[in-house]
Amino acid sequence: MSSSSDSPILTTPLNALHRKLGAKMVPFAGYDMPVQYPLGVLKEHLHTREKAGLFDVSHMGQVILRGDGVVDALEKLVPGELRALKQGRIRYSFFTNDQGGILDDLMIANRGDHLFLVVNAACKVPDIAHLTAGLPGVEIEYLGDDRGLLALQGPVAATVLARFIPDVATMPFMSMVSADLKGIPVTIARSGYTGEDGYEIGINADRTEDVARLLLAEPEVAAIGLGARDSLRLEAGLCLYGHDIDTTTTPVEAGLTWAISKRRREEGGYPGDAIVRRQLAEGATRYRVGIQPEGRAPAREHTEIQDAAGQTVGEVTSGGFGPSANAPVAMGYVTAANAAVGTSLSLVVRGKPLPAKVASLPFVPQRYYRG
Amino acid sequence: MTIRFTEDHEWISLDGDVATVGITTFAQGQLGDVVFVEVPEAGRALTKGKDAAVVESVKAASEVYAPVDGTVVEGNQAVVDDPSLVNSDPQGAGWFFKMTLKDATALDGLMDQAAYDTFVEGQH
């Protein structure tokens, strides 16, 4: 076995609550996290799509950047449009390497006197090293275990949260404010990673369980684990770092060019920009696509993808059963010639080629708040 | 009727010459929501400890192994059509396949209910 079991497992501010709620706990990105509650992954998934799910995402990295010129400095590390990012607004972006590969994907909020970043749990240590090396003169504050983060997601998330903070009902998608929730200072971002409307709520660690309990006491809200979080984001066509995107995949290959603004496409100015711009101009050799298996058998990560002639043309990067799609769903990379929606493919599951087609993403329509 | 259990959490119940095989209540609980099942076709020869069927939950795929040597008589189409039967009635309607045994005494090498219950206790 690897030595990873030697490193101490970290806990979030909700660890005791998860156990009280009967969660099945698993190690995830170095944390002891709930994979599911007694409701089970299938019902947790459907509950989030129908009502509202509460997710503990405190394991993710929350980082504050302060200093003169911080916006221009961070633009040297990400291809996102930050100069035009208005105060109170959020952008999805990614750190790139010199090959145009993705080191991590992240959310960046302009909070007026600082930038607020949320990065993946498994990447936060290298991310902070990357920021430290890349942003000389910028103050980098990692909030670490002092800060909890909850995600409230689903079609009634706004109704529920507005009972506590009425103004959140009309917050624009991808905006962020500070607020007061029953006397507890919180940050509220209208964002999430399930394809549903919802919020991410930042709270000091010592009050995180109080906020979780207030929200869970609302009749529409159920605690949801990592299992359903994964199936929700897969149906929504959203990339999971380390699976659908990593250091070997570029934003163009991953279908994330929408996150690179016109100015940044023209000017570049981030690691790997020459490769990304060349792929934007000439096309990449492979692309991330949605894959719809035609039968009932799920195709898991690393399933080989073949074309109609039996040639290997790619690999599944995320796959499983989609409870809302009520069918198996998958994403993966295929050669450019096989990336068009409707292309017939075979998925080699347990040695047998099973028919599938390239599908448009998302599998389940996204329902973000559009005002 | 004799019911026996494997360390891989299959159950096998012999009634006359034909045995029925499925996964245990404990196993379905560990798997979670079952969303896909593949059962063997009639006539297929099975070898003890080798793949016989497939069960997939929302998160993971698992193999169902043959508890003993024998030949498939019937796969359960009902669990193929409705995999949730494996969760709701694992040791009843959620059976996977029926088989004839190469050697009926092979069941003697498997755990009885009491031994399996003790074995499962040790899995927690």
Side-chain angles (χ1 to χ4, degrees):
Chain A
M1 294 295 285
S2 75
S3 60
S4 62
S5 57
D6 298 339
S7 48
I9 190 101
L10 301 168
T11 57
T12 73
L14 294 187
N15 194 267
L17 181 61
H18 295 316
R19 291 170 184 282
K20 283 188 198 112
L21 293 172
K24 182 180 175 193
M25 306 297 287
V26 297
F28 180 82
Y31 283 80
D32 186 40
M33 295 297 289
V35 65
Q36 66 176 73
Y37 298 88
L39 199 56
V41 175
L42 203 66
K43 292 197 181 82
E44 289 173 29
H45 177 116
L46 295 172
H47 183 96
T48 305
R49 291 254 187 264
E50 285 161 15
K51 293 177 180 169
L54 187 72
F55 303 74
D56 181 10
V57 288
S58 304
H59 59 307
M60 298 188 78
Q62 303 180 66
V63 182
I64 285 173
L65 304 181
R66 282 194 187 85
D68 292 338
V70 65
V71 166
D72 286 347
L74 188 57
E75 277 203 353
K76 292 190 171 67
L77 300 185
V78 304
E81 174 64 77
L82 302 184
R83 281 188 210 157
L85 185 63
K86 294 192 177 75
Q87 185 170 338
R89 303 309 294 255
I90 308 169
R91 282 282 158 82
Y92 171 78
S93 196
F94 23 81
F95 296 121
T96 49
N97 64 23
D98 290 340
Q99 292 74 48
I102 300 172
L103 294 166
D104 194 9
D105 61 341
L106 72 157
M107 294 289 190
I108 303 167
N110 178 350
R111 298 279 287 151
D113 64 344
H114 66 273
L115 296 178
F116 175 75
L117 277 48
V118 177
V119 303
N120 280 298
C123 300
K124 58 192 178 186
V125 172
D127 283 349
I128 289 162
H130 186 61
L131 287 165
T132 304
L135 305 180
V138 168
E139 181 193 337
I140 300 163
E141 182 187 357
Y142 168 52
L143 300 181
D145 295 336
D146 298 333
R147 194 90 181 149
L149 192 65
L150 303 177
L152 183 70
Q153 301 277 297
V156 301
T159 305
V160 168
L161 197 58
R163 287 177 197 144
F164 299 92
I165 310 168
D167 290 350
V168 302
T170 53
M171 276 178 73
F173 179 57
M174 296 296 267
S175 69
M176 186 171 175
V177 297
S178 295
D180 181 290
L181 197 158
K182 291 245 178 188
I184 303 168
V186 294
T187 57
I188 309 274
R190 197 159 205 170
S191 59
Y193 220 61
T194 59
E196 298 296 322
D197 183 23
Y199 304 88
E200 289 177 310
I201 306 166
I203 316 139
N204 279 343
D206 61 349
R207 303 306 303 273
T208 304
E209 183 173 332
D210 295 337
V211 172
R213 284 180 178 277
L214 283 169
L215 294 171
L216 287 170
E218 297 301 305
E220 304 95 331
V221 180
I224 309 297
L226 291 174
R229 184 173 166 82
D230 190 49
S231 53
L232 287 159
R233 70 91 201 162
L234 170 57
E235 282 184 343
L238 300 171
C239 292
L240 181 62
Y241 193 79
H243 300 261
D244 308 295
I245 47 175
D246 60 28
T247 54
T248 70
T249 59
T250 71
V252 179
E253 293 166 355
L256 298 175
T257 52
W258 56 268
I260 310 177
S261 71
K262 185 165 178 287
R263 175 178 66 84
R264 305 291 328 261
R265 289 182 195 208
E266 288 167 0
E267 294 178 5
Y270 52 89
D273 57 351
I275 291 166
V276 171
R277 288 160 81 187
R278 192 177 72 223
Q279 289 187 343
L280 281 167
E282 300 170 9
T285 57
R286 60 172 186 163
Y287 290 98
R288 177 177 65 96
V289 295
I291 299 160
Q292 180 69 68
E294 291 182 4
R296 297 295 294 178
R300 308 285 176 178
E301 186 175 0
H302 302 308
T303 297
E304 180 187 342
I305 304 170
Q306 296 180 344
D307 65 9
Q311 292 294 312
T312 301
V313 294
E315 187 178 275
V316 170
T317 50
S318 283
F321 181 79
S324 300
N326 191 27
V329 291
M331 297 195 292
Y333 284 82
V334 295
T335 54
N338 288 281
V341 169
T343 304
S344 291
L345 301 170
S346 288
L347 302 170
V348 184
V349 177
R350 288 178 285 273
K352 280 181 291 190
L354 303 178
K357 279 198 158 56
V358 176
S360 54
L361 293 173
F363 293 101
V364 172
Q366 292 165 343
R367 295 194 287 186
Y368 304 129
Y369 178 73
R370 297 294 178 192
Chain B
M1 200 154 72
T2 310
I3 184 162
R4 291 285 184 270
F5 300 87
T6 71
E7 293 190 354
D8 297 312
H9 307 286
E10 290 95 13
W11 56 267
I12 176 166
S13 171
L14 185 64
D15 187 8
D17 293 336
V18 176
T20 307
V21 177
I23 66 167
T24 65
T25 302
F26 173 81
Q28 70 78 26
Q30 295 292 106
L31 278 173
D33 303 303
V34 172
V35 295
F36 175 77
V37 164
E38 193 173 274
V39 298
E41 289 178 8
R44 187 173 139 193
L46 298 180
T47 305
K48 178 179 174 166
K50 301 287 186 194
D51 301 353
V54 173
V55 56
E56 297 210 24
S57 67
V58 179
K59 282 300 284 177
S62 302
E63 312 293 341
V64 178
Y65 303 110
V68 291
D69 295 346
T71 304
V72 175
V73 177
E74 179 189 358
N76 185 4
Q77 187 61 37
V79 293
V80 173
D81 296 339
D82 179 9
S84 72
L85 278 176
V86 177
N87 292 119
S88 59
D89 194 8
Q91 295 185 208
W95 58 275
F96 278 67
F97 56 89
K98 293 180 188 291
M99 65 187 293
T100 53
L101 310 191
K102 190 173 172 189
D103 170 13
T105 64
L107 291 191
D108 298 341
L110 302 178
M111 290 180 276
D112 64 11
Q113 183 78 58
Y116 180 69
D117 291 346
T118 305
F119 174 73
V120 163
E121 279 300 305
Q123 301 273 306
H124 290 290

